[in-house]
Amino acid sequence: VCGAEGGIAQIAPWLLPVSLATLAVAALGALAAERLSACAAYLTVGSVGTMLAAFATGGADALAAALFSLVHRTFGAAALFLLAELAGRRRGAAGDAIGSGDVTINCALLGVTFLLVAASVAGLPPTSGFLGKLMILQAVRETPAAAWIWLVILAAGLITLLACVRAGISLFWDGKQERAGNVAEPSSAEWTPLVLLVACSMLLMVAAAPVKRHIDATAAQITDRADYIAAVLGASPERAPRALRERGGQ
């Protein structure tokens, strides 16, 4: 983002491979996770790898795509962690374990919520997760490493989908259709944050156009180094680079 003269130039050569490796390892970790909470943690790490891959390519378009993805993934990750908590409490001793073959969650609302969150996290259309992934893929298509970025992001998306399907089957389908023990039903105060997060994710999808315009303006402002330097040094935008060199800031 800072350009060839910025501090990011020192880490640019290895930022892209490290981000793609992070995404790949996190996706495999989510697929092998033994608990929904661990799966959510791996997917959160993977989202960081995706955004860093966009940052590593530079440019306002890639930065805007990463910022849009950041908003979406914040909602998705928080909702997934809350789902893991509610699911674990409802299953009693089985907790949020995946593949235990024990007791499934006999709760239609929780199941539908998990379906919506999983679709968004996996980047399935027409969710905001799909829009964020599409923006990143479009932003990096002209970069030399575009083929590798597309391959890793799409493969990680497929693995993420498999991880969510595996977790969903274990928690909501494969097992005895009953609730374990005398577990208290979640209160409205516990449901409200989860419902709000899912609603925000859906609203982001509906209002994608105005949000994208705002994020594009933000990315353009961030990547406009001349205006930033001028504001700091008190010089005009045209003289800002020269003023920076004169003050030894390069």
Side-chain angles (χ1 to χ4, degrees):
V1 174
C2 297
E5 298 178 358
I8 199 172
Q10 301 176 4
I11 61 175
W14 52 267
L15 181 59
L16 181 59
V18 168
S19 63
L20 294 180
T22 300
L23 176 57
V25 172
L28 293 175
L31 184 60
E34 297 181 353
R35 292 188 173 274
L36 183 57
S37 54
C39 180
Y42 276 114
L43 293 178
T44 303
V45 173
S47 68
V48 175
T50 303
M51 289 183 289
L52 284 179
F55 287 138
T57 60
D61 290 340
L63 177 59
L67 291 176
F68 185 92
S69 182
L70 173 63
V71 176
H72 140 70
R73 291 176 185 276
T74 299
F75 294 143
L80 201 54
F81 278 112
L82 288 177
L83 270 168
E85 171 67 18
L86 294 180
R89 289 175 50 190
R90 191 175 180 90
R91 294 177 81 207
D96 63 339
I98 299 173
S100 64
D102 193 359
V103 178
T104 56
I105 303 170
N106 189 15
C107 179
L109 180 58
L110 203 58
V112 171
T113 304
F114 176 82
L115 178 63
L116 294 174
V117 174
S120 182
V121 170
L124 297 181
T127 64
S128 58
F130 172 76
L131 295 178
K133 183 185 298 184
L134 182 61
M135 290 176 189
I136 291 178
L137 294 178
Q138 288 180 336
V140 304
R141 67 183 185 278
E142 300 296 334
T143 62
W148 283 105
I149 298 174
W150 276 56
L151 175 63
V152 175
I153 289 180
L154 293 178
L158 177 59
I159 296 174
T160 299
L161 177 60
L162 294 176
C164 291
V165 170
R166 172 174 172 262
I169 290 176
S170 175
L171 296 174
F172 298 96
W173 187 266
D174 185 21
K176 297 179 292 182
Q177 291 290 331
E178 61 183 24
R179 185 160 54 90
N182 295 321
V183 181
E185 293 289 344
S187 64
S188 58
E190 293 172 316
W191 275 109
T192 300
L194 179 59
V195 173
L196 287 177
L197 287 169
V198 175
C200 288
S201 181
M202 297 177 66
L203 181 62
L204 181 62
M205 174 187 64
V206 175
V211 172
K212 182 64 163 57
R213 286 194 296 268
H214 179 74
I215 289 178
D216 285 342
T218 302
Q221 185 177 21
I222 292 174
T223 54
D224 190 350
R225 301 175 61 238
D227 282 346
Y228 177 77
I229 295 172
V232 173
L233 300 182
S236 64
E238 294 77 11
R239 298 179 57 188
R242 180 179 177 181
L244 179 63
R245 290 192 297 270
E246 291 174 352
R247 297 193 184 191
Q250 187 172 6

